[in-house]
Structure formats: C-alpha cells, structure tokens
Amino acid sequence: ILNVEQSPQSLHVQEGDSTNFTCSFPSSNFYALHWYRWETAKSPEALFVMTLNGDEKKKGRISATLNTKEGYSYLYIKGSQPEDSATYLCAFSMKTSYDKVIFGPGTSLSVIP
Amino acid sequence: NAGVTQTPKFQVLKTGQSMTLQCAQDMNHNSMYWYRQDPGMGLRLIYYSASEGTTDKGEVPNGYNVSRLNKREFSLRLESAAPSQTSVYFCASSEQGNNEKLFFGSGTQLSVL
C-alpha cells in the first residue's frame, strides 16, 4: 500500500505571508512526485512533476523541492495572495508501476486579505 | 482544444441502479485514470489504464468496472450503485514516461440515494 501524507491538513495565513507545506512518501522505488493546485469547484491543475533527488522547480511565487532519499517534498509560496487559496495535492508513483499515481489527502490553504 | 471531457456532469441514481461514466481525451495520451474525491482524503485512485487494452486496479476498485475502449476513451461503470459511491468522480490522462503531468476532466457529481 502506497502511503502519501501531507501536512498540515489546513493552513490560514495573512496576505503577504510566506508559507510551506510538506509531502512525505515511501523513499524506496521512487519514480516521480507531483504537485497540483485544486481550487474549489474546479479540477486539479499540475504545478510541478519532479523525478530527480535534489530537484527544485519554480513557477512564479511557488517553488518545490524534492528529497527522494528521505522521502519528502516541500512546496513553498512566497508572499501569499488571496488567489493562492486552494487545496494543494501531492502525488507519487513508483518505478515498478509508474502509471499508478497515488494522491495524498491535500493541504487546504486560505489566504486572508 | 477540449483536453479531457467527462460526461455526464451530474447524475442521481437510486441504490441498485447501474450507469457508465464516459471519459475521452484528445491529447494522444497513453495513460488514463479514474479518481474519486472523498472529504479529507483527497483523490483516491479507482482504476487506471497504462495503454489501450490494459487496465489495473487502484486503491478503491470494489464496485466498479472499467473499459479502455481505445486510446481516447476510458469508461467507468457502476453495476449496482450504493450510497457509499456518492462522490465526485474525476477522469485524468497523462503521458507517463514523458511529461508525467495528469490532466483532469471537469468531474462528474454522482449522488446515490
């Protein structure tokens, strides 16, 4: 059973604050780690997919890092804005079945103006 | 440029009824997925298909069947709907082994009474 965990479950920050979330996953047999942004009443949209230990990805004010040896990834949001309010999902796949993409429970972010 | 198209968008069933959720993608992706959204649990994988003609169980396959009719289409069937299958269902597709990112349909909201 693949167990993907995310913390915290929810987060409330003030506009302008920087924040970060954690995704933990099994460190053995790693293939890829995904981050998605999911706004209410919409479909999830991909932010990043990372495959190499030490990978860092950036998209505007959002960035992510990957540590496959210890099995965690961080997502950072710099200077949070109200439009960043969403649920952030991470997902994981293994080498032995890389098509099987398993999601974590998500971190719900609310940015207060 | 439709991406991933799911039908229907909404459906209400009585316990014991059957129905098929349809999904089609126009991005020539090999991999297709069915997920369900459950509160506090993010997205849970029901079934996936790595290529035309192949299907595999995900985390919660019981009560569902799938068909990968061709490269474009991947349908999900509930043979005898139960209230526990009340959920929002998302279809997704990706090119695993290349871009990796999952592209999602707009979801089907299913209620089983």
Side-chain angles (χ1 to χ4, degrees):
Chain A
I1 296 177
L2 295 180
N3 200 23
V4 182
E5 298 178 351
Q6 291 188 246
S7 63
Q9 183 176 359
S10 65
L11 199 53
H12 299 262
V13 301
Q14 293 289 330
E15 182 176 351
D17 288 350
S18 294
T19 187
N20 65 85
F21 332 128
T22 304
C23 174
S24 60
F25 52 87
S27 57
S28 61
N29 204 12
F30 173 85
Y31 180 71
L33 191 284
H34 306 221
W35 281 101
Y36 292 82
R37 170 191 164 86
W38 192 6
E39 293 181 70
T40 303
K42 294 187 177 180
S43 303
E45 290 186 356
L47 289 170
F48 310 112
V49 178
M50 295 180 285
T51 56
L52 298 175
N53 184 46
D55 256 355
E56 294 187 19
K57 300 270 188 176
K58 187 174 182 181
K59 186 176 182 178
R61 295 179 290 98
I62 305 177
S63 60
T65 61
L66 178 66
N67 183 324
T68 62
K69 296 187 185 308
E70 296 181 45
Y72 65 84
S73 175
Y74 293 137
L75 187 78
Y76 301 92
I77 302 180
K78 184 178 178 181
S80 302
Q81 299 297 309
E83 58 265 30
D84 295 328
S85 297
T87 295
Y88 292 83
L89 298 169
C90 72
F92 166 80
S93 59
M94 298 171 64
K95 277 183 192 172
T96 47
S97 55
Y98 59 78
D99 295 280
K100 188 175 185 178
V101 180
I102 302 296
F103 280 81
T107 292
S108 175
L109 173 67
S110 295
V111 181
I112 304 162
Chain B
N1 191 5
V4 180
T5 304
Q6 281 183 241
T7 55
K9 292 193 184 304
F10 303 95
Q11 184 72 50
V12 179
L13 294 177
K14 294 181 180 178
T15 298
Q17 287 186 314
S18 62
M19 79 161 294
T20 299
L21 280 64
Q22 307 287 352
C23 176
Q25 52 93 9
D26 62 3
M27 295 174 281
N28 202 35
H29 287 164
N30 285 320
S31 304
M32 296 187 74
Y33 305 81
W34 277 105
Y35 290 92
R36 56 178 285 172
Q37 174 189 356
D38 293 313
M41 303 183 78
L43 294 170
R44 291 199 289 171
L45 181 63
I46 305 171
Y47 271 93
Y48 66 103
S49 170
S51 61
E52 182 180 351
T54 68
T55 61
D56 286 285
K57 293 179 180 179
E59 302 168 277
V60 288
N62 291 345
Y64 304 96
N65 286 304
V66 289
S67 295
R68 185 73 184 268
L69 305 168
N70 47 55
K71 192 171 186 179
R72 289 188 65 248
E73 298 171 292
F74 188 39
S75 61
L76 178 72
R77 182 161 178 83
L78 287 71
E79 290 291 351
S80 179
S84 60
Q85 294 178 305
T86 294
S87 189
V88 181
Y89 292 83
F90 286 95
C91 177
S93 71
S94 74
E95 192 62 26
Q96 292 300 317
N98 189 3
N99 185 291
E100 318 291 356
K101 290 180 182 178
L102 269 63
F103 292 84
F104 286 85
S106 56
T108 296
Q109 189 162 337
L110 175 67
S111 295
V112 183
L113 307 177

